[in-house]
PDB file of all heavy atoms in Angstrom:
ATOM      1  N   THR G 319     -20.333   5.295   8.865  1.00 96.00           N
ATOM      2  CA  THR G 319     -19.787   4.908  10.164  1.00 96.00           C
ATOM      3  C   THR G 319     -20.233   3.506  10.547  1.00 96.00           C
ATOM      4  O   THR G 319     -19.450   2.717  11.102  1.00 96.00           O
ATOM      5  CB  THR G 319     -20.212   5.924  11.246  1.00 96.00           C
ATOM      6  OG1 THR G 319     -19.801   7.237  10.843  1.00 96.00           O
ATOM      7  CG2 THR G 319     -19.570   5.604  12.586  1.00 96.00           C
ATOM      8  N   ASP G 320     -21.470   3.159  10.245  1.00 95.00           N
ATOM      9  CA  ASP G 320     -21.920   1.796  10.514  1.00 95.00           C
ATOM     10  C   ASP G 320     -21.218   0.781   9.619  1.00 95.00           C
ATOM     11  O   ASP G 320     -21.002  -0.363  10.035  1.00 95.00           O
ATOM     12  CB  ASP G 320     -23.437   1.689  10.360  1.00 95.00           C
ATOM     13  CG  ASP G 320     -24.147   1.673  11.709  1.00 95.00           C
ATOM     14  OD1 ASP G 320     -23.456   1.546  12.744  1.00 95.00           O
ATOM     15  OD2 ASP G 320     -25.380   1.779  11.752  1.00 95.00           O
ATOM     16  N   LEU G 321     -20.886   1.171   8.392  1.00 95.00           N
ATOM     17  CA  LEU G 321     -20.085   0.276   7.548  1.00 95.00           C
ATOM     18  C   LEU G 321     -18.743   0.003   8.217  1.00 95.00           C
ATOM     19  O   LEU G 321     -18.264  -1.141   8.243  1.00 95.00           O
ATOM     20  CB  LEU G 321     -19.889   0.904   6.162  1.00 95.00           C
ATOM     21  CG  LEU G 321     -19.042   0.108   5.160  1.00 95.00           C
ATOM     22  CD1 LEU G 321     -19.661  -1.256   4.880  1.00 95.00           C
ATOM     23  CD2 LEU G 321     -18.871   0.907   3.864  1.00 95.00           C
ATOM     24  N   PHE G 322     -18.135   1.057   8.771  1.00 96.00           N
ATOM     25  CA  PHE G 322     -16.899   0.886   9.536  1.00 96.00           C
ATOM     26  C   PHE G 322     -17.130  -0.069  10.714  1.00 96.00           C
ATOM     27  O   PHE G 322     -16.340  -0.994  10.953  1.00 96.00           O
ATOM     28  CB  PHE G 322     -16.421   2.250  10.042  1.00 96.00           C
ATOM     29  CG  PHE G 322     -15.164   2.209  10.873  1.00 96.00           C
ATOM     30  CD1 PHE G 322     -13.925   2.488  10.309  1.00 96.00           C
ATOM     31  CD2 PHE G 322     -15.208   1.899  12.231  1.00 96.00           C
ATOM     32  CE1 PHE G 322     -12.764   2.454  11.073  1.00 96.00           C
ATOM     33  CE2 PHE G 322     -14.058   1.853  13.001  1.00 96.00           C
ATOM     34  CZ  PHE G 322     -12.833   2.133  12.417  1.00 96.00           C
ATOM     35  N   ASN G 323     -18.221   0.147  11.448  1.00 95.00           N
ATOM     36  CA  ASN G 323     -18.484  -0.664  12.642  1.00 95.00           C
ATOM     37  C   ASN G 323     -18.740  -2.132  12.298  1.00 95.00           C
ATOM     38  O   ASN G 323     -18.315  -3.030  13.035  1.00 95.00           O
ATOM     39  CB  ASN G 323     -19.677  -0.084  13.411  1.00 95.00           C
ATOM     40  CG  ASN G 323     -19.341   1.225  14.094  1.00 95.00           C
ATOM     41  OD1 ASN G 323     -18.203   1.463  14.487  1.00 95.00           O
ATOM     42  ND2 ASN G 323     -20.323   2.104  14.224  1.00 95.00           N
ATOM     43  N   VAL G 324     -19.419  -2.380  11.182  1.00 94.00           N
ATOM     44  CA  VAL G 324     -19.661  -3.765  10.770  1.00 94.00           C
ATOM     45  C   VAL G 324     -18.344  -4.443  10.408  1.00 94.00           C
ATOM     46  O   VAL G 324     -18.083  -5.597  10.788  1.00 94.00           O
ATOM     47  CB  VAL G 324     -20.656  -3.819   9.593  1.00 94.00           C
ATOM     48  CG1 VAL G 324     -20.692  -5.215   8.971  1.00 94.00           C
ATOM     49  CG2 VAL G 324     -22.052  -3.428  10.063  1.00 94.00           C
ATOM     50  N   ALA G 325     -17.486  -3.748   9.661  1.00 95.00           N
ATOM     51  CA  ALA G 325     -16.183  -4.319   9.313  1.00 95.00           C
ATOM     52  C   ALA G 325     -15.344  -4.573  10.568  1.00 95.00           C
ATOM     53  O   ALA G 325     -14.639  -5.587  10.667  1.00 95.00           O
ATOM     54  CB  ALA G 325     -15.448  -3.382   8.356  1.00 95.00           C
ATOM     55  N   TYR G 326     -15.436  -3.670  11.522  1.00 95.00           N
ATOM     56  CA  TYR G 326     -14.721  -3.827  12.798  1.00 95.00           C
ATOM     57  C   TYR G 326     -15.266  -5.033  13.570  1.00 95.00           C
ATOM     58  O   TYR G 326     -14.506  -5.815  14.155  1.00 95.00           O
ATOM     59  CB  TYR G 326     -14.890  -2.525  13.578  1.00 95.00           C
ATOM     60  CG  TYR G 326     -14.447  -2.520  15.016  1.00 95.00           C
ATOM     61  CD1 TYR G 326     -13.168  -2.897  15.381  1.00 95.00           C
ATOM     62  CD2 TYR G 326     -15.316  -2.089  16.019  1.00 95.00           C
ATOM     63  CE1 TYR G 326     -12.766  -2.877  16.709  1.00 95.00           C
ATOM     64  CE2 TYR G 326     -14.927  -2.056  17.336  1.00 95.00           C
ATOM     65  CZ  TYR G 326     -13.654  -2.447  17.681  1.00 95.00           C
ATOM     66  OH  TYR G 326     -13.261  -2.422  18.994  1.00 95.00           O
TER      67      TYR G 326
END
Side-chain angles (χ1 to χ4, degrees):
T319 304
D320 258 350
L321 179 60
F322 179 98
N323 289 330
V324 168
Y326 170 54

